[in-house]
C-alpha cells in the first residue's frame, strides 16, 4: 500500500510508502568488510555529529557520514569499484581467462570512473572511461591522472553507458558499471555489495557514541539507485523493530526513482542540467529497483539551490560536501518543510529524540562546476 503526493512547493515532489520498514532482505556478504580493511590506506570515514542541525530539524541528534576522503579519493565510489574489480579478476583467474592485463571499461560523470581507473592502476590493469558531454575538464583530468584512457560521448550519461557497454564486448575487456539492466547484473551487484562497508562503519561509529539501536532515519542520495540498494539491504536485513526510515533524495531535473515509485514500475525520464551531476540519471538500475520499490519509506526531489545551500551550510559546520552529498540535508529539510512537515515527520517516525544520519557521498570539488558523481 502506498500514498502518493504531488507538488507541495515549486518543483518539489514527494512519495511515501507506509509499511516499508516491515520488508526484509538478505544482507551483503560479511567478506566485503574484511576485504576493504585489508586494503592499504583503508580507514573508516568520519561520522560527524552536528547539534545545530538537530536543533534546526527538531530531532535528538544528527550525524553526517563524511565521504570526502575514501581510500585516497573524494567520494565513496572506491568501495564498490575495488570490491567489484577484485571479484572480476578472481572470477577470470578461476575460469582461465586470458593472461596479462584486462581493460576495465566504464561510463561516468566523475567519481565512479576515477575509482575504477585508480583500482586498475593499483592492480596493473588498463582502464577505458567514457564520459558524457558536459563533464568538466577538471573531472576528466582527474581520471586521466589515473592513467586511464578517456573518451567523451556526445550525449547524456545513459548514452555514455550504452557506448561503454559496446566497447567492452571483446574478450580482453570487462564492463565495470554501477548500473544494471537485464543481462548485465552480476558486476553491478558486486559494486552494491562493496558499498555495504559504509553502512557497517556507521553501525560501529553510532555504537561508540552511545546509539546502540542504530538511526531512526537515514537520508541517501540517489542516481540510478545502487547506493540506496546497499543501504536498504543493510537496514532491511535487521529485525523489524530495529529498522530505520529510509529517505531517498534526487535532483528535480533527474528524479527517475521518484517517477518510478509514483508509477509503480521502472520508468525512464529525460534529464536536465543540475549541479548534482552525479545524480543526473534517467533510468533506475534493474537490480536496485526491487529494493527501492519495497524498502524505501519515502522519496523526495530537491532543487539545485537547496542543495547548494546545504553544501554551504555543511561547509560552515566543518564538513566538506559537494552538491550530491549535501542533497541529503536538502532532502530532509524539504521533506519536513511546512505546511505538510508535521505529517511527514509522523510518517517517518521522527520525534524530539530521533537520530538522523545524512550520507554525504562526496567532498566539495576544487571547482564548483566540476562533476563529482557517478
Amino acid at each position: 500500500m502506498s500514498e502518493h503526493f504531488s507538488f507541495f512547493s515549486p518543483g518539489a515532489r514527494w512519495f511515501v510508502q507506509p509499511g516499508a520498514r516491515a520488508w526484509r532482505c538478505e544482507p551483503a556478504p560479511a567478506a566485503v568488510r574484511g576485504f576493504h580493511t585489508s586494503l592499504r590506506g583503508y580507514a573508516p570515514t568520519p561520522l560527524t555529529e552536528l547539534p545545530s542541525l538537530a536543533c534546526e530539524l527538531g530531532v535528538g541528534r544528527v550525524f553526517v557520514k563524511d565521504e570526502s576522503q575514501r581510500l585516497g579519493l573524494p567520494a565513496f565510489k572506491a568501495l564498490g569499484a575495488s570490491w567489484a574489480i577484485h571479484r572480476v579478476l578472481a572470477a577470470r583467474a578461476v575460469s582461465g581467462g586470458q593472461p596479462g592485463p584486462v581493460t576495465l571499461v566504464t561510463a561516468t560523470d566523475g567519481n565512479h570512473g576515477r575509482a575504477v581507473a585508480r583500482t586498475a592502476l593499483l592492480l596493473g590493469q588498463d582502464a577505458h572511461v567514457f564520459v558524457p558531454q558536459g563533464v568538466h575538464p577538471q573531472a576528466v583530468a582527474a581520471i586521466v591522472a589515473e592513467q586511464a584512457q578517456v573518451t567523451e560521448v556526445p550525449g547524456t550519461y545513459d548514452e555514455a553507458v550504452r557506448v561503454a557497454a559496446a566497447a567492452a564486448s571483446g574478450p580482453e575487456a570487462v564492463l565495470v558499471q554501477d548500473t544494471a539492466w537485464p543481462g548485465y547484473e552480476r558486476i553491478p551487484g558486486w559494486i552494491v555489495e562493496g558499498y555495504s562497508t559504509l553502512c557497517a562503519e556507521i553501525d560501529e561509529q553510532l555504537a561508540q557514541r552511545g546509539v546502540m539501536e542504530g538511526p531512526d532515519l537515514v537520508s541517501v542520495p540517489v542516481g540510478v539507485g545502487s547506493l540506496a540498494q546497499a543501504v536498504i539491504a543493510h537496514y532491511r536485513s535487521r529485525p523489524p523493530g530495529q529498522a530505520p526510515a529510509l529517505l531517498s533524495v534526487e535532483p528535480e531535473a533527474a528524479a527517475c526513482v521518484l517517477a518510478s515509485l509514483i508509477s509503480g514500475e521502472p520508468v525512464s525520464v529525460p534529464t536536465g542540467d543540475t549541479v548534482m551531476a552525479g545524480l543526473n540519471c534517467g533510468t533506475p538500475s534493474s537490480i536496485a529497483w526491487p529494493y527501492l520499490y519495497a524498502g524505501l519509506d519515502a522519496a523526495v526531489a530537491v532543487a539545485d539551490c537547496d542543495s547548494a545551500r546545504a553544501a554551504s551550510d555543511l561547509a560552515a559546520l566543518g564538513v566538506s560536501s559537494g552538491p550530491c552529498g549535501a542533497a541529503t540535508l536538502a532532502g530532509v529539510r524539504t521533506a519536513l518543510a511546512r505546511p505538510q512537515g508535521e505529517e511527514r515527520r509522523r510518517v517517518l517516525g521522527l520525534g524530539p529524540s530521533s537520530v538522523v544520519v545524512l550520507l554525504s557521498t562526496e567532498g566539495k570539488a576544487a571547482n564548483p562546476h566540476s562533476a563529482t558523481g557517478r
Side-chain angles (χ1 to χ4, degrees):
M1 178 180 179
S2 64
E3 300 175 20
H4 300 256
F5 296 86
S6 57
F7 296 89
F8 65 88
S9 65
R13 292 177 289 169
W14 165 263
F15 170 92
V16 62
Q17 181 166 256
R21 268 161 276 184
W23 185 70
R24 306 262 72 78
C25 64
E26 292 296 316
V32 177
R33 182 72 188 284
F35 166 77
H36 284 134
T37 59
S38 72
L39 296 178
R40 182 178 179 180
Y42 168 79
T45 54
L47 186 70
T48 303
E49 184 167 8
L50 298 177
S52 62
L53 288 185
C55 181
E56 174 195 335
L57 298 173
V59 297
R61 304 176 78 176
V62 171
F63 296 88
V64 177
K65 183 61 168 168
D66 179 359
E67 292 290 308
S68 61
Q69 284 293 326
R70 171 66 76 174
L71 291 168
L73 296 176
F76 75 106
K77 292 290 189 177
L79 292 174
S82 60
W83 173 250
I85 292 170
H86 165 72
R87 294 296 306 270
V88 164
L89 297 180
R92 284 178 65 85
V94 169
S95 65
Q98 295 286 338
V102 62
T103 299
L104 304 169
V105 181
T106 195
T108 188
D109 265 335
N111 282 327
H112 171 70
R114 187 177 177 188
V116 170
R118 169 69 64 86
T119 305
L121 179 62
L122 292 174
L123 296 177
Q125 309 298 322
D126 298 323
H128 189 176
V129 180
F130 292 82
V131 299
Q133 189 173 19
V135 172
H136 195 277
Q138 181 176 310
V140 174
I143 299 170
V144 172
E146 308 292 349
Q147 299 183 25
Q149 177 184 354
V150 177
T151 299
E152 182 175 331
V153 176
T156 65
Y157 169 76
D158 288 354
E159 179 61 23
V161 170
R162 287 190 286 270
V163 174
S169 59
E172 297 181 2
V174 178
L175 183 68
V176 184
Q177 198 58 54
D178 54 349
T179 186
W181 55 86
Y184 180 73
E185 296 180 328
R186 185 174 68 159
I187 292 174
W190 289 337
I191 291 174
V192 170
E193 289 177 356
Y195 297 154
S196 65
T197 289
L198 185 156
C199 299
E201 291 176 359
I202 291 173
D203 287 346
E204 296 169 358
Q205 292 166 320
L206 285 177
Q208 292 166 0
R209 311 289 183 84
V211 183
M212 308 306 297
E213 296 185 357
D216 298 294
L217 172 69
V218 179
S219 180
V220 55
V222 173
V224 298
S226 297
L227 175 60
Q229 178 186 349
V231 172
I232 293 166
H234 181 80
Y235 290 108
R236 297 300 182 242
S237 63
R238 294 180 167 187
Q242 300 178 19
L246 302 177
L247 172 69
S248 71
V249 185
E250 297 171 281
E252 293 175 352
C256 66
V257 169
L258 179 58
S260 297
L261 291 170
I262 292 172
S263 298
E265 61 182 3
V267 299
S268 295
V269 300
T271 60
D273 292 334
T274 173
V275 296
M276 293 168 272
L279 308 181
N280 195 9
C281 305
T283 306
S285 170
S286 65
I287 59 171
W289 169 247
Y291 291 80
L292 302 170
Y293 184 67
L296 282 174
D297 293 86
V300 67
V302 298
D304 277 9
C305 60
D306 292 333
S307 177
R309 176 195 163 209
S312 177
D313 291 344
L314 288 172
L317 295 171
V319 176
S320 174
S321 183
C324 295
T328 53
L329 173 56
V332 174
R333 283 172 164 170
T334 300
L336 301 184
R338 295 182 179 182
Q340 294 94 342
E342 288 306 312
E343 172 60 18
R344 295 187 187 121
R345 191 180 296 270
R346 183 192 66 78
V347 169
L348 295 172
L350 294 180
S353 62
S354 295
V355 175
V356 175
V357 172
L358 310 175
L359 303 188
S360 178
T361 51
E362 62 175 9
K364 182 180 179 181
N367 186 305
H369 300 294
S370 64
T372 56
R374 298 177 303 261

